């Protein structure tokens, strides 16, 4: 798992020294989770954030009528967790579970602070990642208000090219804010146009 994490840093342009890499191993905890296993439930306080080394996690909420609303998929090389709950010690409003058997590296708030102190460039990388995440969420809100269902699906395919075959159709539909039937119709139309 740590080698995948090391490769992630390399791809982001942050060359780690051997000492820095060894330090990372002291503040991140490798964890294997099975498909269907929960990492966080709404109402619990988040104890850690996560880096996905392999597999895929899902973040979602459930409305008053029991309907799931997928907020995010987190495949390989994604950071995830309820940072509001973690940083502010608040009950989470989301569920996070594993859609596949996954390998993750977990960290608590203190570990993140230690990492950023020991490797200052990681703080910059983390801030950039947070900004990208905020921008992506804002764009998703705008898209949900202005784009057609087909445009949202095409955008999903661009952002998550490997997930259309790995994630159940009803979860993709939930992420897009459409019914599974609408998604099925869109996919059928696109396959006949090819």
């Amino acid at each position: 798992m740590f080698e995948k994490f090391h490769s992630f840093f390399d791809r982001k342009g942050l060359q780690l020294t051997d000492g820095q890499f060894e330090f990372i191993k002291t503040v991140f905890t490798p964890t294997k989770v099975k498909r269907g296993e929960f990492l966080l439930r709404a109402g619990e306080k988040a104890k850690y954030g996560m880096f996905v080394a392999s597999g895929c996690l899902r973040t979602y909420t459930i409305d008053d009528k029991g309907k799931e609303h997928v907020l995010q998929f987190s495949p390989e090389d994604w950071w995830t967790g309820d940072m509001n709950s973690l940083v502010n010690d608040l009950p989470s409003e989301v569920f996070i579970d594993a859609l596949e058997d996954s390998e993750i590296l977990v960290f608590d708030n203190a570990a993140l602070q230690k990492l950023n102190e020991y490797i200052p460039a990681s703080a910059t990388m983390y801030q950039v990642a947070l900004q990208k995440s905020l921008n992506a969420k804002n764009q998703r809100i705008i898209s949900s208000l202005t784009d057609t269902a087909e445009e949202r699906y095409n955008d999903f395919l661009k952002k998550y090219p490997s997930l259309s075959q790995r994630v159940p159709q009803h979860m993709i539909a939930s992420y897009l804010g459409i019914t599974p039937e609408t998604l099925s119709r869109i996919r059928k139309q696109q396959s006949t146009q090819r």
Side-chain angles (χ1 to χ4, degrees), residues 28 79 83 107-117 126:
F28 285 81
W79 297 88
M83 296 311 287
F107 58 93
D108 62 18
N109 206 27
L112 187 59
Q113 298 305 317
K114 287 179 191 175
L115 176 70
N116 291 339
E117 288 170 16
Y126 183 71

Side-chain angles (χ1 to χ4, degrees), residues 3 16 24-25 44 47 55 83 85 87 97 115 138 145 147 151 160 168-169:
E3 288 305 320
L16 299 173
I24 284 173
K25 292 179 181 180
E44 297 175 349
K47 296 180 178 115
M83 296 311 287
S85 175
V87 172
D97 65 0
L115 176 70
N138 287 341
L145 297 172
D147 292 348
E151 289 169 334
Y160 297 106
Q169 183 170 309

Side-chain angles (χ1 to χ4, degrees), residues 30-140:
T31 305
K32 292 184 179 186
V33 291
K34 294 285 185 195
R35 179 180 182 213
E37 188 175 332
F38 280 90
L39 297 134
L40 181 65
R41 295 177 192 269
E44 297 175 349
K45 290 183 179 179
K47 296 180 178 115
Y48 50 82
M50 297 156 265
F51 173 82
V52 182
S54 68
C56 186
L57 307 181
R58 167 182 66 145
T59 302
Y60 66 99
T61 187
I62 300 176
D63 68 22
D64 293 340
K65 296 177 183 172
K67 184 177 178 183
E68 291 181 5
H69 300 276
V70 176
L71 305 173
Q72 176 179 308
F73 296 108
S74 303
E76 297 81 8
D77 288 347
W78 280 62
W79 297 88
T80 194
D82 185 342
M83 296 311 287
N84 184 47
S85 175
L86 179 66
V87 172
N88 297 310
D89 196 36
L90 296 170
S92 179
E93 297 181 87
V94 300
F95 295 85
I96 300 175
D97 65 0
L99 294 180
E100 301 172 343
D101 290 349
S102 302
E103 296 179 332
I104 60 174
L105 295 170
V106 299
F107 58 93
D108 62 18
N109 206 27
L112 187 59
Q113 298 305 317
K114 287 179 191 175
L115 176 70
N116 291 339
E117 288 170 16
Y118 191 76
I119 309 172
S122 72
T124 302
M125 187 178 78
Y126 183 71
Q127 288 300 319
V128 168
L130 284 177
Q131 187 61 48
K132 283 183 178 180
S133 176
L134 180 60
N135 290 343
K137 286 179 182 178
N138 287 341
Q139 188 56 47
R140 184 156 175 236

Side-chain angles (χ1 to χ4, degrees), residues 122-180:
S122 72
T124 302
M125 187 178 78
Y126 183 71
Q127 288 300 319
V128 168
L130 284 177
Q131 187 61 48
K132 283 183 178 180
S133 176
L134 180 60
N135 290 343
K137 286 179 182 178
N138 287 341
Q139 188 56 47
R140 184 156 175 236
I141 292 168
I142 292 167
S143 175
S144 72
L145 297 172
T146 61
D147 292 348
T148 66
E150 185 172 6
E151 289 169 334
R152 291 194 306 265
Y153 179 61
N154 289 334
D155 186 54
F156 171 84
L157 293 175
K158 287 178 194 166
K159 286 182 182 167
Y160 297 106
S162 71
L163 291 189
S164 66
Q165 303 305 314
R166 293 167 59 187
V167 173
Q169 183 170 309
H170 73 277
M171 289 182 190
I172 295 172
S174 172
Y175 175 83
L176 298 172
I178 60 178
T179 65

